[in-house]
């Protein structure tokens, strides 16, 4: 999804180093890891607060957040619009 060949913070992007497929899977793994870490919240934090954190993280990573941003980014790329519509 990275249409920009420029490095980030002086280093090549994961898409360039490992390929787009592995970079996407790494992102999926990191998102799943976030939920794993939330599930390990100490018992001293109320269940209501944990549920609120889960709501916020899931909302921010879903259609109105991370995924939505990726869709908007892909749609700006004419060569990928057709593939996006297929998916």
């Amino acid at each position: 999804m990275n249409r920009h060949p420029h490095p980030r913070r002086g280093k090549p992007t994961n898409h360039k180093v490992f390929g787009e497929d592995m970079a996407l899977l790494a992102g999926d793994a990191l998102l799943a890891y976030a939920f794993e870490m939330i599930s390990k919240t100490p018992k001293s934090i109320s269940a209501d607060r944990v549920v609120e954190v889960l709501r916020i993280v899931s909302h921010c990573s879903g259609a109105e957040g991370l995924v939505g941003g990726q869709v908007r980014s892909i749609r700006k790329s004419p060569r990928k619009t057709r593939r996006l519509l297929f998916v």
Side-chain angles (χ1 to χ4, degrees):
M1 288 206 237
N2 183 11
R3 294 173 277 127
H4 308 289
H6 307 294
R8 291 186 183 161
R9 294 176 294 283
K11 296 182 180 182
T13 63
N14 285 338
H15 296 81
K16 291 293 180 186
V17 176
F18 302 106
E20 188 169 326
D21 52 352
M22 294 305 289
L24 290 171
L25 290 171
D28 292 344
L30 287 170
L31 183 57
Y33 188 63
F35 285 97
E36 180 183 345
M37 291 295 97
I38 294 167
S39 75
K40 294 179 179 181
T41 301
K43 301 269 188 240
S44 60
I45 298 175
S46 74
D48 288 343
R49 182 167 272 187
V50 174
V51 169
E52 179 65 8
V53 168
L54 286 168
R55 187 195 65 75
I56 292 168
V57 172
S58 62
H59 176 79
C60 290
S61 60
E64 293 184 30
L66 180 128
V67 173
Q70 292 293 344
V71 168
R72 287 186 296 278
S73 179
I74 291 169
R75 285 192 164 234
K76 290 179 183 176
S77 174
R79 68 184 177 88
K80 292 189 179 181
T81 300
R82 195 171 346 145
R83 182 167 181 237
L84 174 67
L85 294 174
F86 171 75
V87 174

